[in-house]
Amino acid sequence: MSKISPFWVSAAVVLAAGLAFTEIVENQYYFTAIYLILQGLIMAVAWNILGGFTGYVNFGSAAFFAVGAYTAIALDKALGLPLPLLIVAAAAICGLIGLGVGYLTLRLKGVYFAIATLAMAIVLETFITNWSYVGGARGAYILTPDKHLWFDSYSEMLFMLMLVLAVVSVAISRKLNFSRLGRGLAAIRDDEVAAECAGVPTLRLKLVSTTIMGAMMGVAGAPYPFFVTYVDPLSAFNLFVAVNAIAMPMIGGTAHWIGPVIGALLVGSMQEIVKVNISSELNILIVGVMLVLFISLAPQGIVGLVQKHFLKRKA
Amino acid sequence: AQQPIKIGFSMALTGGLAGAGKGALIAMEIWRDDVNKKGGLLGRPVQLVYYDDATQPANVPGIYTKLLEVDKVDLVVSAYGTNLIAPAMPIIMRKKLVFPSLFGLGVNEEFNYDRYFQIMPSGPDPKVDWTRGFFALAMEQNPKPRTVAIVAADAEFALNAAAGARKNAQNAGLKIVYDKTYPPATTDYTPIVRAIQATNPDIVFVGSYPPDSVGMVKAANEVGLKTKLFGGGMVGLQFAAIQKNLGPMLNGIVNYDFWVPEPTLKFSGVEEFLAKYREAAKGKGVDPYGHYLPPYAYAYLQVLGQAVEATKSLDHGKLAEHMHKTEYDTVVGKVKFGKNGEWARSRVLQVQFRDVQPDNLEQFAGPGKRIVLYPKEWKSGDIVYPYKQ
Amino acid sequence: MANSLSIEGVRAGYGAVQVLEGISLAVRDGETVALLGTNGAGKSTLMKAVMGIVTPSAGRIAAVIDDVEHDLVGKTPEEVVDLGIALVPEGRRLFPKLTVQENLLMGASRRAARGRIDENLAFCFETFPVLAERRGQLAGSMSGGEQQMLALARAIMTAPKILLIDEPSVGLAPIFVARTVEKIAELKRRFGLTVLMAEQNFTQAIKIADRGYVIVHGHIEFEGESRESMQNNDMIRRLYLGM
Amino acid sequence: MVTADLLANAVVAGLLLGGFYAAVAIGLAIIFGQLDIVNIAHPAFIIAGAYTAYILNSRFGIDPVLIGVLAAPLFFLAGAGIYRVYYGAFERTGQESLSGLAFFFGLMFIIEVVLILVYGVDYRLVQAGYIGESWRIGFVDLPFRMLVPFVVAVALTAGIYLYLARTFTGRAIQAVAQDRLALQLMGVNPIRVKQWAFGLGIATAAIAGALLIIIGPVEPSVGRQYIGRAFAIVVLGGMGSISGMFIAALILGIVESLVNTFMGPSWAPAVAFGVLLLTLALRPSGLFGR
Amino acid sequence: MSDVILRVENLSKRFGGFTALQNVALHLTAGERLGLIGPNGSGKTTLINCISGALYNDDGTIVFEGADITRLPPHQRARLGIARSFQIPKPFRSMSVLENLRIPLEYAAWSRAEHRRITDEAMHVLETIGLKELAGKSSGDLTQVDMRKLELARALAAKPKVLVSDEAMAGLSGAEVDEIIEILLGLNRTGVAVIMIEHIMRAVMKFSERVAVLDAGQKIADGDPQSVIANPDVQRAYLGE
Ligand SMILES: Nc1ncnc2c1ncn2[C@@H]1O[C@H](COP(=O)(O)OP(=O)(O)OP(=O)(O)O)[C@@H](O)[C@H]1O
Ligand SMILES: Nc1ncnc2c1ncn2[C@@H]1O[C@H](COP(=O)(O)OP(=O)(O)OP(=O)(O)O)[C@@H](O)[C@H]1O
Ligand SMILES: [Mg+2]
Ligand SMILES: [Mg+2]
């Protein structure tokens, strides 16, 4: 019998702890706060699959997130599907958009690709702004259902759902990182021509990674309408979503799957703590200073810092 | 000492709506100090507990759960603006709290919550009532206008206002010759104004936010837009800094407003309030006169405070009941709520800029520059028509 | 006026790795000195140490430029270059996204070189006509050998007094190897250039070298005071002449 | 309803707008296009420039363009200082430019909030004699509010173009991101070159900010609206190329203006950025990329 | 000529207005050792870029083992058995020397590699090339010459049927050149055909069974080594006698 890896043990522990948390903790605030952290975590993990592993920077993360949210809104309105199905649908549609973005990598490298994703985000935003079925620029209201399975409240259910999604995302990212596929992605990041000539099917691998990234971001966005109950394009295509998706992996470290996880937990919880404890414009200032400090002190991310420390000790 | 009564809310102190949000906060702090000076509510001092939502809807659910679960506030009021009010609704509704709300346009049409009370005087059918006056004025003129152009920013309020305008225009039998929206991040408005001019409309209705309001007015002047009535739903023309900058370009524009220093609108307490506001606003980078939002931010707390005093309780059921049936006397005049929580009668003013001089801020402190044309009840002068021919 | 280079007991390396273990050598005024050694012996590292790219942990590096002596240890590469010492680095280090012409003009950034742009440019174009033909092509898209020529030409554009060349013949066709070597000799004649050259192509190097050193594992293993002594050395024969 | 005068006006308005976009993007064409530093905060610097213009204009009534020019040296110093920090944290340790992204995001927030703390969030405007006036040639209107920025932008672009193409420092700026060591071997200190270039890029923000506030009201976070446009213009122009950047800016301005006039302004961003995507699809390294 | 493994016909490649290759024809029989020489800029690297798929040719066809591969993407050519080294080294910089070899082993040679023993196979290749001591070193820190060796090692790890070595010996001393030639000869004995691009004539003469010469994008000679270097055109264009 093969040994169960520590990763899966910790994943199970996290999920069990999450469940216990919903049972024990009454204070709903924690569920909403952690929900946002987990949302950031999934976005960061997703961004890192393309940005960190494959070396293609996506500036349009917010668009995937928003399309995920709007897929959920549209299908909720049209068919009244249950949330899990909405999430699957959002994953499918954003995965498809990711696939499309993947084809951009055929010709566009480096910053050209990054700006293309930014352009794509603006084009998508304009479409949704003008799509009146989902409210257009006026925004859409989502009335959350009263049912919340066996949980005490709807936000507890959303929290648990997000926790499961986050664990799955991290598992996928980790699997990618250490597989043959992941090494192929790293080769692409280092030198695409050399990778091709070494037999790496670069296009297919890039398509796989953009699709996974897109789908994952869509998954992060799908429950969002039920979380805020009112979504308009301005808040869905949100600069902060895009900033966090990039900053969290950078701060955590991009080369290893744990990087975005650490970055998201650190930055996300700092943001939540600062938001409610320093109730003024100072909170954005602190977020700004934090970004600058973290990234200046550990330019390779926290993982990079730790690795360097270990290397020094070994030497 | 007595335990304070805590009133919790979220407010935009950074981000797009922060200009108004910070003004509102100043007004609310003035109310708190006023009340506490008089001995508080129910003999308890009042404390405001608030967080910056950074104009991000995603922050709002967390803020209200925190207010309720951790800070254990006794009362809540809303943030400023539709986008930031709506995300709080499910949480408030689940706890069945009274929810005085500050300038949300038609939020309750979706939620139908019977403890929601909107302080903005838009009226029972907010989206339509908003521009009723603008079109009523137009149709009184001679010769009667026949065509209208509607242009609005791609954002929540402007689009809703434009939708109302469309309805009013249709009811008035006007032909809509131009009906387009533009993204709020537009830099230059002259092409838009020119395209409007090309359709030769008698009336131009604009639904816009501060930066685009300025852009539109400037472009209309530069292009020499020829139309008979211009304005309607432009946010921003109520703010002193923008008024000062636009100066004479404003003359003739007819636009909505909620309060102006005209003799017909001298409600009790409003002068004192504005004096305190002017003092408090100094150096805070907010509107120096605060005619637009601050009186209402003061008033929605006044209503809440009066209800608490009258019912002698913090029981939300009792408060809601009282608020539904009572007419309140506030710095913005008499306030009576209708069934859906909106004002029972609309009091959206249509005011016309008149006689504005260049580069002069003080002129807007007093009467004579913004003449109230509508509703008749509050009228302070007659329309100058047409706007530009 | 005299230009020379002297290196005494230099130790240097990368981090924990020690590469040069006390090297001493001298290049006298107007000389061309060949530096020989197997792959990884430390030739490039020595040149980097002279240029200030790697900092020696011990030893002395000094250059006499126009009769004035300068201590090179502790100087930044740009300061060394500014004195009039140029390096043709291994791996060419061109500006791939600048054109051939722009690369050459970059070479003339040094103040002392600006006055001689036309003269030096003409010399480079005469030596490597392909550079003149392709002056508008991006350096990065040139063929390997063309890039090597450009790297050499760019160093000449800095109008140096002392020229260090790390393997000038790498990637060059025999016809160009011969021509390059000839032109280095001409540079020396025309400008009285002092040259230190790492070169694997022994037969070519020896044509213009006045003397040579062999480095093995970071030590000077052999010092040849003349061409003959070099040609007759056993180690060199084994290493370079395939005997 | 495409009439000749509407079309002519739309194209002219587009040109003027495009000129202003060039002023917004030119600093990035240096910092991002040539130094490879992803300075997301550039629009925030432009807002800082706009506030400088506002403050001096409202206090002393100085012309905003003049303020922009006078403030440029100060911005240059600020830029040089920021580059020092950036260098110390990232480049010295050999980090690729990407990690700087989070740094500049942070910087953007800091600039925004400091402006908010000091000057509040109210919309700010400037006063100048020519604002609101326009010049009519035939049936074409040239509002000075757009014409002045256009003229200044053209002058700025031309100046920087010549500087980069004709001087040794200019060429060094183009080369520095490609190979630092190689630049050292040319006898040039790459850090000083980068610091200089970064300062230069930020200095243009002082002028662009003055132009921005001539055109319309400014509040601390409006800079965000220009992030996409500015980067798109630089990339469309082919990264480092100044002339390419200028043409790309004009194209973007004209496309937006035409859509605003004839199609419905709501679609302007989709069309403008759609054009960008299409151009990249056909020419993967921009219009004038190397 | 029945066992021609690679055939290039009528191949042309232009860069903008510049013609880098014009109507080049070349063939390689299985197990052959071909030396490819020519002055700088004559198109040798461009030719093998076209053969390996790193560039697509404008005209002409490339046939490998009887199948037309002209439009095949590079990775498929690598899987069919064409491996090349890069003249200007392109190591995977974030990886160690050993990890660099895993890529071709896991991708190009996946069907031929023994999956469980990728590391052993990689070590074996490194040992052959003489990079064993550097296995754990970050590939970005190698000297130029070691990088060239790594290029060769990575090509070997793809377990090719045709190996193209683009100036792998540049910068090596005479003795080291001999070592590399031995390695290539050894490889050739196992049936791998080798195209060797090199400017070191001693190596070309020692290694090649046949030599082809390019000049200004055209093939000017093709035949046994002795007669090729005796060819006056070759002497004028390449050897400079
Ligand atoms: N950047 C570096 N980091 C770590 N080690 C290095 C670095 N550069 C070179 N080395 C090591 O230093 C030693 C000497 O390298 P150097 O480049 O000086 O050799 P060389 O004599 O020039 O050889 P070649 O003929 O290969 O050019 C080698 O063992 C090499 O591995
Ligand atoms: N992308 C490109 N754009 C323009 N010209 C190019 C490009 N790539 C190669 N060339 C030119 O094509 C010619 C052939 O180059 P190639 O690299 O094939 O030469 P080569 O025979 O390998 O030379 P070397 O022996 O110097 O490596 C050269 O003159 C080169 O400048
Ligand atoms: Mg070397
Ligand atoms: Mg070649």
Side-chain angles (χ1 to χ4, degrees):
Chain A
M1 236 189 76
S2 65
K3 235 175 52 194
I4 300 172
S5 84
F7 173 79
W8 290 109
V9 175
S10 21
V13 169
V14 166
L15 289 177
L19 269 180
F21 197 62
T22 60
E23 287 305 310
I24 299 162
V25 175
E26 285 296 307
N27 192 333
Q28 296 297 306
Y29 164 67
Y30 294 108
F31 298 109
T32 49
I34 297 176
Y35 175 93
L36 284 180
I37 298 174
L38 292 173
Q39 174 188 304
L41 188 144
I42 299 176
M43 293 294 292
V45 166
W47 184 90
N48 197 51
I49 287 174
L50 190 64
F53 297 170
T54 323
Y56 277 84
V57 173
N58 172 11
F59 270 145
S61 309
F64 289 96
F65 176 82
V67 169
Y70 270 97
T71 305
I73 292 171
L75 290 178
D76 179 51
K77 196 174 161 192
L79 307 171
L81 298 181
L83 189 50
L85 283 186
L86 294 178
I87 293 176
V88 171
I93 289 187
C94 292
L96 272 179
I97 297 180
L99 190 68
V101 167
Y103 277 103
L104 286 178
T105 65
L106 254 181
R107 302 197 56 177
L108 298 179
K109 312 274 181 260
V111 294
Y112 295 97
F113 173 80
I115 298 303
T117 58
L118 184 77
M120 173 215 68
I122 294 174
V123 172
L124 284 175
E125 180 174 357
T126 316
F127 274 98
I128 288 184
T129 301
N130 285 288
W131 186 21
S132 55
Y133 182 74
V134 290
R138 273 193 247 182
Y141 289 87
I142 294 84
L143 303 181
T144 46
D146 288 329
K147 283 180 298 190
H148 28 69
L149 301 179
W150 63 88
F151 294 100
D152 296 337
S153 72
Y154 200 76
S155 44
E156 285 186 19
M157 190 184 82
L158 279 184
F159 156 81
M160 200 55 214
L161 174 76
M162 219 51 177
L163 192 63
V164 173
L165 294 176
V167 167
V168 172
S169 307
V170 172
I172 291 174
S173 152
R174 173 176 170 275
K175 181 81 196 150
L176 271 183
N177 198 183
F178 291 137
S179 62
R180 171 170 169 252
L181 191 69
R183 283 186 289 277
L185 295 179
I188 292 174
R189 177 186 61 203
D190 286 351
D191 195 309
E192 209 162 323
V193 177
E196 261 291 317
C197 289
V200 180
T202 56
L203 178 62
R204 195 180 326 147
L205 259 55
K206 287 187 293 184
L207 292 180
V208 168
S209 75
T210 53
T211 308
I212 293 178
M213 173 209 69
M216 223 179 244
M217 288 185 171
V219 163
Y224 178 74
F226 298 89
F227 176 75
V228 281
T229 68
Y230 172 82
V231 179
D232 69 340
L234 231 49
S235 59
F237 287 84
N238 190 321
L239 181 73
F240 276 88
V241 172
V243 172
N244 277 341
I246 295 178
M248 287 169 172
M250 295 275 162
I251 285 171
T254 53
H256 193 276
W257 65 270
I258 194 93
V261 177
I262 293 176
L265 292 180
L266 194 73
V267 177
S269 39
M270 287 288 235
Q271 282 172 349
E272 291 306 311
I273 291 169
V274 168
K275 192 188 317 176
V276 293
N277 286 313
I278 298 160
S279 52
S280 70
E281 46 276 73
L282 282 176
N283 72 33
I284 298 192
L285 184 63
I286 289 173
V287 171
V289 171
M290 231 168 55
L291 284 182
V292 169
L293 277 186
F294 272 138
I295 201 73
S296 309
L297 294 179
Q300 282 282 47
I302 291 163
V303 173
L305 204 67
V306 171
Q307 277 173 345
K308 210 158 88 193
H309 185 73
F310 271 104
L311 284 186
K312 249 195 216 133
R313 277 237 305 255
K314 260 205 297 199
Chain B
Q2 281 271 14
Q3 277 284 321
I5 293 182
K6 291 192 206 166
I7 302 180
F9 57 95
S10 129
M11 192 54 73
L13 303 176
T14 50
L17 293 181
K22 287 178 88 175
L25 182 61
I26 292 175
M28 294 164 84
E29 284 170 342
I30 293 175
W31 176 81
R32 177 197 60 200
D33 296 343
D34 286 352
V35 166
N36 284 341
K37 216 174 284 161
K38 281 191 233 138
L41 289 180
L42 306 177
R44 292 161 64 183
V46 172
Q47 186 193 342
L48 300 181
V49 184
Y50 60 89
Y51 302 108
D52 174 24
D53 57 41
T55 324
Q56 301 288 331
N59 290 336
V60 172
I63 289 177
Y64 278 91
T65 11
K66 171 102 189 321
L67 287 168
L68 294 169
E69 306 260 343
V70 181
D71 301 318
K72 308 251 185 254
V73 298
D74 304 284
L75 300 165
V76 284
V77 295
S78 86
Y80 164 70
T82 312
N83 308 11
L84 300 155
I85 294 171
M89 290 296 280
I91 296 155
I92 305 295
M93 286 164 70
R94 223 168 280 143
K95 298 247 168 183
K96 300 205 179 353
L97 306 178
V98 165
F99 199 40
S101 135
L102 185 64
F103 285 37
L105 185 60
V107 172
N108 214 19
E109 282 175 21
E110 307 290 336
F111 293 99
N112 283 316
Y113 178 48
D114 65 352
R115 293 178 180 184
Y116 172 88
F117 300 95
Q118 169 59 262
I119 195 68
M120 181 168 65
S122 41
D125 186 1
K127 293 174 191 172
V128 178
D129 285 339
W130 192 280
T131 51
R132 202 183 292 282
F134 186 75
F135 286 94
L137 282 169
M139 298 319 285
E140 283 167 11
Q141 307 307 318
N142 200 0
K144 264 198 184 169
R146 284 202 312 267
T147 55
V148 59
I150 296 176
V151 61
D154 276 322
E156 168 270 324
F157 155 74
L159 286 185
N160 281 322
R166 214 166 287 130
K167 217 176 250 173
N168 282 319
Q170 275 155 2
N171 291 344
L174 289 163
K175 183 166 169 239
I176 301 176
V177 291
Y178 180 99
D179 189 356
K180 300 241 158 99
T181 59
Y182 60 85
T186 303
T187 308
D188 181 22
Y189 292 87
T190 45
I192 301 175
V193 172
R194 263 195 213 97
I196 293 173
Q197 179 69 77
T199 64
N200 234 335
D202 292 331
I203 305 176
V204 177
F205 172 85
V206 186
S208 56
Y209 288 89
D212 23 319
S213 297
V214 174
M216 278 288 180
V217 171
K218 287 188 171 163
N221 272 273
E222 287 158 357
V223 172
L225 178 66
K226 292 183 192 57
T227 183
K228 291 170 186 154
L229 198 60
F230 179 83
M234 305 175 81
V235 182
L237 300 192
Q238 298 80 3
F239 306 150
I242 288 178
Q243 289 166 349
K244 172 184 174 222
N245 183 272
L246 290 175
M249 285 187 229
L250 289 168
N251 284 327
I253 292 174
V254 173
N255 194 31
Y256 86 94
D257 212 327
F258 293 137
W259 191 84
V260 286
E262 290 292 300
T264 49
L265 293 168
K266 297 264 184 265
F267 306 115
S268 75
V270 68
E271 303 272 83
E272 294 92 304
F273 164 72
L274 287 175
K276 284 181 198 157
Y277 173 88
R278 266 198 297 277
E279 204 45 48
K282 270 189 193 133
K284 296 232 171 87
V286 294
D287 192 67
Y289 294 140
H291 292 165
Y292 178 66
L293 180 65
Y296 288 86
Y298 189 88
Y300 87 142
L301 291 177
Q302 265 188 310
V303 168
L304 187 62
Q306 289 175 23
V308 170
E309 286 293 2
T311 55
K312 303 236 168 308
S313 107
L314 294 173
D315 180 304
H316 285 258
K318 284 191 192 147
L319 289 173
E321 199 184 325
H322 188 264
M323 286 168 84
H324 268 299
K325 60 174 201 246
T326 316
E327 181 173 74
Y328 292 91
D329 208 357
T330 72
V331 295
V332 298
K334 302 233 183 301
V335 177
K336 172 93 178 72
F337 294 105
K339 222 170 145 1
N340 60 354
E342 301 287 344
W343 278 34
R345 275 182 57 208
S346 167
R347 201 190 71 198
V348 178
L349 310 173
Q350 292 295 331
V351 307
Q352 186 169 40
F353 287 93
R354 205 65 79 60
D355 196 21
V356 176
Q357 305 303 314
D359 202 18
N360 178 347
L361 187 68
E362 283 70 36
Q363 62 183 328
F364 297 102
K369 303 291 167 182
R370 286 175 286 169
I371 308 300
V372 179
L373 308 176
Y374 186 94
K376 297 280 173 292
E377 204 180 337
W378 315 101
K379 190 169 158 179
S380 68
D382 290 315
I383 190 169
V384 172
Y385 181 89
Y387 160 67
K388 253 170 209 156
Q389 190 60 290
Chain C
M1 281 188 283
N3 303 295
S4 65
L5 184 67
S6 75
I7 295 166
E8 282 164 31
V10 163
R11 299 172 158 273
Y14 306 89
V17 195
Q18 186 82 354
V19 176
L20 302 182
E21 319 247 15
I23 292 234
S24 300
L25 61 77
V27 188
R28 295 187 285 264
D29 184 37
E31 264 188 342
T32 297
V33 171
L35 200 55
L36 303 171
T38 51
N39 169 219
K43 305 178 296 294
S44 302
T45 307
L46 179 64
M47 298 210 170
K48 289 187 202 163
V50 173
M51 297 306 294
I53 300 167
V54 298
T55 315
S57 54
R60 204 178 100 82
I61 304 176
V64 174
I65 308 279
D66 292 342
D67 298 331
V68 183
E69 184 170 305
H70 303 269
D71 184 1
L72 299 188
V73 176
K75 284 205 163 47
T76 63
E78 54 269 26
E79 285 166 346
V80 175
V81 171
D82 211 37
L83 290 175
I85 303 175
L87 169 71
V88 183
E90 78 178 336
R92 307 176 185 91
R93 312 301 293 247
L94 298 173
F95 302 109
K97 287 186 181 156
L98 295 189
T99 62
V100 169
Q101 171 112 4
E102 286 167 337
N103 264 281
L104 291 172
L105 287 177
M106 277 308 305
S109 295
R110 191 166 88 86
R111 234 159 252 294
R114 292 188 189 179
R116 275 177 42 194
I117 288 183
D118 294 334
E119 186 187 346
N120 286 339
L121 209 54
F123 180 83
C124 293
F125 283 161
E126 179 203 333
T127 313
F128 306 114
V130 67
L131 298 183
E133 273 166 45
R134 302 291 175 75
R135 64 178 83 191
Q137 187 175 330
L138 296 189
S141 73
M142 302 283 276
S143 85
E146 289 164 348
Q147 292 192 12
Q148 184 63 36
M149 300 175 201
L150 181 54
L152 194 65
R154 193 183 56 178
I156 293 169
M157 292 298 292
T158 65
K161 300 280 164 73
I162 298 176
L163 182 60
L164 311 184
I165 315 178
D166 201 347
E167 317 218 11
S169 75
V170 162
L172 291 188
I175 182 172
F176 282 108
V177 175
R179 189 182 303 171
T180 304
V181 164
E182 206 175 279
K183 285 290 172 177
I184 293 173
E186 184 181 332
L187 274 176
K188 179 177 135 179
R189 272 198 310 279
R190 251 213 244 177
F191 302 116
L193 207 58
T194 302
V195 179
L196 175 65
M197 172 170 86
E199 178 55 74
Q200 300 289 12
N201 190 328
F202 180 74
T203 30
Q204 291 295 336
I206 210 68
K207 277 193 200 159
I208 54 166
D210 299 304
R211 325 182 271 118
Y213 295 88
V214 177
I215 304 189
V216 176
H217 292 313
H219 297 279
I220 299 284
E221 201 71 4
F222 171 76
E223 183 176 347
E225 273 306 327
S226 66
R227 271 175 221 174
E228 293 68 39
S229 68
M230 302 276 290
Q231 261 154 346
N232 296 332
N233 180 266
D234 272 350
M235 182 166 55
I236 292 182
R237 295 165 80 95
R238 199 177 64 247
L239 279 174
Y240 293 96
L241 300 176
M243 291 171 199
Chain D
M1 24 144 251
V2 180
T3 62
D5 81 334
L6 213 49
L7 183 66
N9 271 306
V11 171
V12 169
L15 278 175
L16 298 186
L17 180 64
F20 165 67
Y21 285 166
V24 171
I26 193 163
L28 270 185
I30 300 174
I31 293 175
F32 176 56
Q34 301 192 318
L35 305 186
D36 251 355
I37 301 176
V38 194
N39 178 16
I40 284 278
H42 193 71
F45 284 103
I46 293 180
I47 300 304
Y51 268 78
T52 314
Y54 156 73
I55 294 158
L56 296 181
N57 175 271
S58 60
R59 194 150 310 162
F60 306 111
I62 311 174
D63 181 82
V65 175
L66 184 63
I67 299 171
V69 174
L70 293 178
L74 286 178
F75 274 64
F76 177 91
L77 291 180
I82 287 165
Y83 176 74
R84 274 274 139 191
V85 176
Y86 175 81
Y87 169 76
F90 302 95
E91 295 195 338
R92 201 172 36 136
T93 48
Q95 300 307 312
E96 79 278 32
S97 55
L98 193 60
S99 0
L101 208 54
F103 174 84
F104 284 107
F105 270 129
L107 203 59
M108 173 178 103
F109 292 139
I110 293 175
I111 295 174
E112 263 181 36
V113 177
V114 167
L115 284 176
I116 290 179
L117 288 176
V118 181
Y119 299 104
V121 278
D122 215 6
Y123 280 95
R124 305 290 172 174
L125 305 99
V126 287
Q127 225 109 41
Y130 45 83
I131 296 178
E133 301 299 316
S134 64
W135 183 21
R136 216 176 154 83
I137 307 174
F139 49 71
V140 176
D141 284 303
L142 295 170
F144 283 112
R145 194 166 52 90
M146 303 301 298
L147 185 61
V148 169
F150 177 80
V151 172
V152 174
V154 169
L156 184 65
T157 311
I160 288 189
Y161 174 81
L162 290 178
Y163 178 71
L164 291 179
R166 300 282 167 82
T167 64
F168 281 97
T169 320
R171 270 192 295 271
I173 289 173
Q174 300 188 46
V176 66
Q178 297 176 34
D179 195 326
R180 247 174 61 193
L181 177 64
L183 199 64
Q184 290 183 294
L185 292 178
M186 305 296 101
V188 180
N189 181 335
I191 301 159
R192 211 173 294 156
V193 166
K194 279 196 151 185
Q195 191 173 353
W196 177 265
F198 196 92
L200 194 66
I202 298 298
T204 68
I207 296 172
L211 304 183
L212 175 67
I213 202 168
I214 288 175
I215 292 177
V218 168
E219 121 341 275
S221 62
V222 298
R224 296 177 189 177
Q225 295 168 7
Y226 290 94
I227 297 177
R229 282 202 194 104
F231 277 88
I233 287 170
V234 173
V235 163
L236 190 58
M239 286 300 278
S241 161
I242 299 295
S243 48
M245 179 287 295
F246 189 68
I247 290 170
L250 294 188
I251 290 176
L252 202 69
I254 291 173
V255 168
E256 281 190 9
S257 174
L258 288 177
V259 177
N260 280 346
T261 310
F262 298 112
M263 225 182 115
S266 194
W267 291 100
V271 176
F273 285 86
V275 167
L276 168 74
L277 275 178
L278 262 179
T279 316
L280 285 183
L282 298 175
R283 287 195 57 99
S285 49
L287 289 172
F288 297 87
R290 289 190 154 184
Chain E
M1 288 271 288
S2 57
D3 53 350
V4 169
I5 185 165
L6 178 73
R7 175 186 295 283
V8 173
E9 277 160 8
N10 261 330
L11 191 126
S12 296
K13 174 73 195 173
R14 288 176 289 275
F15 296 108
F18 174 73
T19 305
L21 290 174
Q22 195 175 2
N23 286 333
V24 174
L26 191 74
H27 70 272
L28 188 70
T29 50
E32 195 181 16
R33 301 192 300 273
L34 173 71
L36 183 58
I37 59 173
N40 297 117
S42 56
K44 305 178 294 296
T45 302
T46 307
L47 178 60
I48 70 139
N49 276 340
C50 290
I51 291 174
S52 69
L55 285 176
Y56 288 112
N57 46 308
D58 298 318
D59 305 312
T61 50
I62 304 166
V63 178
F64 183 71
E65 292 188 318
D68 186 343
I69 58 163
T70 314
R71 293 285 128 188
L72 232 48
H75 70 268
Q76 288 186 15
R77 303 186 199 197
R79 285 177 184 186
L80 289 175
I82 302 178
R84 54 101 39 113
S85 72
F86 287 91
Q87 179 180 4
I88 294 171
K90 292 172 177 287
F92 299 128
R93 287 177 187 272
S94 74
M95 304 181 200
S96 70
V97 169
L98 183 75
E99 283 166 343
N100 261 271
L101 298 203
R102 284 190 76 125
I103 301 294
L105 275 167
E106 285 190 326
Y107 281 93
W110 190 236
S111 56
R112 280 156 279 169
E114 296 172 49
H115 294 186
R116 294 184 171 280
R117 305 183 42 220
I118 294 287
T119 312
D120 295 348
E121 291 196 39
M123 278 317 278
H124 178 72
V125 174
L126 287 179
E127 198 165 359
T128 329
I129 296 287
L131 283 176
K132 196 176 167 199
E133 280 72 52
L134 300 178
K137 195 160 175 167
S138 165
S139 63
D141 288 345
L142 297 182
T143 62
Q144 281 294 315
V145 170
D146 286 335
M147 279 190 195
R148 287 206 197 89
K149 286 186 172 173
L150 175 59
E151 278 294 334
L152 198 57
R154 211 168 53 187
L156 287 182
K159 304 193 170 176
K161 295 175 190 154
V162 172
L163 175 82
V164 189
S165 139
D166 195 353
E167 300 197 26
M169 304 173 201
L172 292 185
S173 68
E176 290 163 332
V177 166
D178 291 337
E179 275 174 45
I180 300 285
I181 290 177
E182 275 315 312
I183 294 167
L184 291 179
L185 284 172
L187 187 72
N188 178 252
R189 277 193 289 275
T190 67
V192 179
V194 180
I195 301 179
M196 186 175 86
I197 300 177
E198 209 55 70
H199 289 300
I200 302 172
M201 281 315 284
R202 194 172 60 80
V204 175
M205 299 308 286
K206 188 166 170 189
F207 178 78
S208 313
E209 295 171 316
R210 183 161 66 92
V211 171
V213 188
L214 285 181
D215 181 27
Q218 280 172 306
K219 195 168 85 174
I220 57 167
D222 190 343
D224 77 272
Q226 291 310 327
S227 66
V228 164
I229 59 161
N231 181 330
D233 285 342
V234 176
Q235 297 214 339
R236 192 174 354 94
Y238 187 65
L239 300 168
E241 305 297 87

